[in-house]
Amino acid sequence: MKKIIIINGPNLNLLGKREPTIYGASTFEDYLKELKNKHVDIQLEYYQSNIEGEIIEKLHEVGFNFDGIILNAAAYTHTSVGIGDAVKGIETPVVEVHISNIHAREEFRHVSYIAPNAKGVIFGFGLQGYELAIQSFL
């Protein structure tokens, strides 16, 4: 059974409440239930933190024994050399995901410190981006 973890960064705990015109009206927990019901053949885990160092620690923890990591580092994508270095330092492939089209937003969001070391990047497809990332590991 494949082991895949979704790691979400800052403010993604507010999905369903925060800027629903950009991020939608569903909570991530509701969407995660749908993903788990659809993918009973994989072990799908979830982790969310608003703290950069905790995200790095989680990447270190799972980055050598999981089959895939789906990482939405949110705003840290554009600011955290540390998270980018953590992705570079682990063996498990990482797919970077963003709910919104980061290239249709502020210019600072066009830069990713994760993408150079990721298996791929998916953005602009809403929550469906997580499903697309799962498919990339199957």
Side-chain angles (χ1 to χ4, degrees), residues 23-126:
Y23 299 105
S26 296
T27 68
F28 195 82
E29 289 73 14
D30 288 341
Y31 181 64
L32 183 63
K33 287 177 192 171
E34 291 177 31
L35 288 175
K36 285 184 173 185
N37 287 336
K38 182 175 183 177
H39 296 284
V40 295
D41 54 331
I42 62 173
Q43 180 182 331
L44 186 60
E45 294 187 21
Y46 176 60
Y47 179 80
Q48 189 278 328
S49 178
N50 295 315
I51 301 169
E52 180 179 17
E54 290 180 359
I55 294 168
I56 292 169
E57 289 291 334
K58 182 55 80 170
L59 288 166
H60 291 175
E61 176 188 325
V62 302
F64 297 92
N65 56 10
F66 273 62
D67 298 300
I69 298 170
I70 300 166
L71 175 60
N72 184 343
Y76 288 140
T77 301
H78 322 292
T79 63
S80 180
V81 173
I83 292 175
D85 285 348
V87 169
K88 185 177 183 178
I90 60 177
E91 294 175 356
T92 300
V94 173
V95 172
E96 178 183 339
V97 170
H98 298 282
I99 297 167
S100 67
N101 179 349
I102 57 176
H103 290 287
R105 299 185 64 196
E106 303 93 339
E107 190 171 330
F108 75 88
R109 294 186 196 274
H110 302 180
V111 175
S112 169
Y113 288 101
I114 296 163
N117 299 300
K119 173 183 175 183
V121 180
I122 301 168
F123 58 89
F125 292 99

